[in-house]
């Protein structure tokens, strides 16, 4: 747990969702999935999700979300890029350097961070630490995921709950306690649960080069029930830790945003904490579970409705594969979110997705 000096703030919020939207009925109508709109809504709160089309990647969404965050902060540059993702463009190299290059940021440090669905919370800790350590002034933290690429389309436990998207924040120095500043962070992990959320093949343990592997090894797998129980317990306990660290009570929280994994999990955590329903925010119905991207996407959707006053005590909490989890206490940012999602009504409109070129 760490209590930063509260002088690093979120200054810009950007998002990008791929234009293809799939309703629950459309997912249910796909062959081989024995599911219904009613089941998905009642068990998860999800109504629709965005999926990339075949020409788009995690890096493409990240470039647009990163550009949007810069615009939101009225900034032209960043001096570091951290990309939180568990669905990188390639296993090697990291995706962040190419994203930084395509954003025209020059020779800035750029690296991927994989804490699965806790990636944004972990990323806020790393980004604010870099600022506090004086290693950079204005890091760009992007969380971008394309889970539609890794879930098994025939696995109804995962195919219905994940979506694609990217959210980004630009951070920078600020006066202590001002809007956007990070007041406290709790990060934790438990690797004994690494099998609960996994893609078994494709790494050094089971490379699977050229071998036609079983679906259970090739695709993302999640033991939903166990994960559900652990998510509720750890997000609740971690939230209490960070609140106590910064001296806030659950009563004082004016914005609660948890990892958008399942509405029932979010309700259980918020109920246990005693957060007033009026102060719970999210967009799982619209975007489903977008892994690391889910918290910045939910923050942007909340900010676009001006639903929270700048400076308001805010609690973020996340849980994901690893297992990893963590929470952040911050003051709600004073940033108007920018969305660079291309219009779904303009087929082939990829104007905000700049192709990877050498000269950008
Ligand atoms: O993002 C990282 C962290 N991830 C999470 O936090 C996700 C945690 N887990 C979950 O959100 C939930 O466990 C799921 C949404 C994955 C599953 O919901 P559940 O309420 O835990 O369902 P269940 O596993 O208890 O299954 C209940 C029933 C089963 O049928 P029987 O055995 O009762 O006949 C399942 O086979 O629901 C069935 N089922 C489905 N039915 C229709 C499971 N998935 C589906 C489906 N459509 N998509």
């Amino acid at each position: 747990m760490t209590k930063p000096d509260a002088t690093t703030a979120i200054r810009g919020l950007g998002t990008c969702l791929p234009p293809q939207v799939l309703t629950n009925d459309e997912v249910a109508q796909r062959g081989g999935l024995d599911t219904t709109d009613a089941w998905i809504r009642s068990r998860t709160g999800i109504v629709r999700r965005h999926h990339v089309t075949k020409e788009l990647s995690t890096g493409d969404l990240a470039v647009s979300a990163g550009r949007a965050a810069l615009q939101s902060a009225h900034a032209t540059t960043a001096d570091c890029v951290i990309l939180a993702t568990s669905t990188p463009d390639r296993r090697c190299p990291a995706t962040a350097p190419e994203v930084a290059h395509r954003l025209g940021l020059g020779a800035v440090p750029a690296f991927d961070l994989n804490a699965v669905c806790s990636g944004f919370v972990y990323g806020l800790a790393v980004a604010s630490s870099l600022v506090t350590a004086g290693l950079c002034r204005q890091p760009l933290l992007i969380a971008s995921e394309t889970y539609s690429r890794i879930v098994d389309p025939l696995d109804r436990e995962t195919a219905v709950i994940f979506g694609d998207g990217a959210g980004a924040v630009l951070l920078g120095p600020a006066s202590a306690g001002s809007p956007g500043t990070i007041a406290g962070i709790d990060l934790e992990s438990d690797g004994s649960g690494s099998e609960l959320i996994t893609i078994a093949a494709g790494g050094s343990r089971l490379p699977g080069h050229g071998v036609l592997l079983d679906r259970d090894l090739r695709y993302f797998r999640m033991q939903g029930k166990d994960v559900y129980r652990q998510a509720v317990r750890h997000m609740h306990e971690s939230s209490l830790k960070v609140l106590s660290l910064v001296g806030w009570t659950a009563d004082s929280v004016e914005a609660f945003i948890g990892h958008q994994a399942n509405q029932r999990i979010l309700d259980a955590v918020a109920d246990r904490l005693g957060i007033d329903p009026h102060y719970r925010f999210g967009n799982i119905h619209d975007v489903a579970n977008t892994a690391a991207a889910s918290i910045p996407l939910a923050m942007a959707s909340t900010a676009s409705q001006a639903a929270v006053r700048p400076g308001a005590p805010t609690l973020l909490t996340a849980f994901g594969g690893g297992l990893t989890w963590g929470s952040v206490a911050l003051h709600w940012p004073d940033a108007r979110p920018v969305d660079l999602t291309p219009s779904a009504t303009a087929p082939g409109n990829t104007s905000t997705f700049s192709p990877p070129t050498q000269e950008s």
Side-chain angles (χ1 to χ4, degrees):
M1 264 201 303
T2 163
K3 189 174 175 185
D5 54 7
T7 55
T8 308
I10 293 176
R11 298 182 37 214
L13 256 171
T15 56
C16 174
L17 291 157
Q20 177 180 225
V21 178
L22 267 90
T23 63
N24 289 343
D25 280 330
E26 286 166 324
V27 172
Q29 278 154 21
R30 286 198 314 214
L33 265 191
D34 181 15
T35 190
T36 59
D37 171 54
W39 192 95
I40 301 169
R41 272 179 203 248
S42 63
R43 307 296 285 189
T44 70
I46 295 164
V47 175
R48 60 188 76 82
R49 75 281 293 140
H50 295 248
H51 277 185
V52 286
T53 42
K54 66 176 185 316
E55 70 280 4
L56 291 176
S57 73
T58 292
D60 294 324
L61 303 183
V63 170
S64 290
R67 186 171 290 142
L70 289 167
Q71 285 180 17
S72 163
H74 308 289
T76 52
T77 193
D79 56 6
C80 174
V81 173
I82 303 166
L83 177 61
T85 187
S86 46
T87 50
D89 283 3
R90 291 172 280 188
R91 269 176 50 207
C92 176
T95 307
E98 190 179 336
V99 169
H101 168 68
R102 291 172 61 190
L103 286 169
L105 298 178
V108 297
F111 56 94
D112 290 1
L113 183 159
N114 182 356
V116 197
C117 299
S118 312
F120 182 73
V121 162
Y122 269 64
L124 279 181
V126 174
S128 59
S129 307
L130 289 172
V131 176
T132 312
L135 285 166
C136 59
R137 272 183 68 77
Q138 204 158 269
L140 180 59
L141 168 63
I142 309 173
S144 182
E145 302 277 20
T146 49
Y147 265 62
S148 67
R149 293 281 199 251
I150 60 167
V151 295
D152 181 348
L154 299 181
D155 175 13
R156 64 181 181 167
E157 283 228 358
T158 54
V160 304
I161 67 174
F162 285 96
D164 302 336
V169 291
L170 185 74
L171 295 108
S175 51
S178 60
T181 47
I182 294 168
I185 299 170
D186 173 56
L187 300 180
E188 299 178 58
S189 78
D190 176 9
S192 71
S194 63
E195 302 294 327
L196 295 181
I197 298 175
T198 185
I199 303 177
S204 66
R205 196 169 290 285
L206 182 60
H209 302 304
V211 181
L212 188 58
L213 292 167
D214 184 85
R215 306 183 78 84
D216 280 338
L217 302 176
R218 261 185 297 145
Y219 282 115
F220 177 88
R221 289 287 183 254
M222 180 177 71
Q223 294 177 37
K225 263 203 165 333
D226 262 10
V227 171
Y228 186 115
R229 277 192 287 267
Q230 298 224 31
V232 173
R233 178 158 70 89
H234 289 306
M235 287 199 283
H236 171 231
E237 290 174 1
S238 172
S239 295
L240 289 177
K241 285 181 192 169
V242 86
L243 288 175
S244 131
L245 178 73
V246 299
W248 297 352
T249 60
D251 279 355
S252 65
V253 170
E254 292 179 37
F256 168 78
I257 295 183
H259 166 47
Q260 307 286 291
N262 184 320
Q263 191 58 52
R264 288 159 54 221
I265 294 177
L266 291 164
D267 291 343
V269 174
D271 286 349
R272 283 184 189 197
L273 288 167
I275 306 270
D276 185 320
H278 183 66
Y279 294 132
R280 306 174 185 182
F281 299 96
N283 60 349
I284 189 170
H285 54 286
D286 262 344
V287 299
N289 180 346
T290 56
S294 88
I295 287 182
L297 282 169
M299 287 181 76
S301 110
T302 305
S304 68
Q305 296 157 36
V308 183
R309 67 175 176 89
T314 298
L315 173 64
L316 310 177
T317 187
F319 177 89
L323 302 169
T324 58
W325 62 94
S327 303
V328 174
L330 76 158
H331 299 273
W332 187 258
D334 188 8
R336 249 182 42 164
V338 172
D339 177 49
L340 286 180
T341 295
S343 164
T345 54
N349 175 5
T350 55
S351 57
T352 59
F353 294 108
S354 42
T357 57
Q358 292 305 306
E359 67 279 356
S360 56

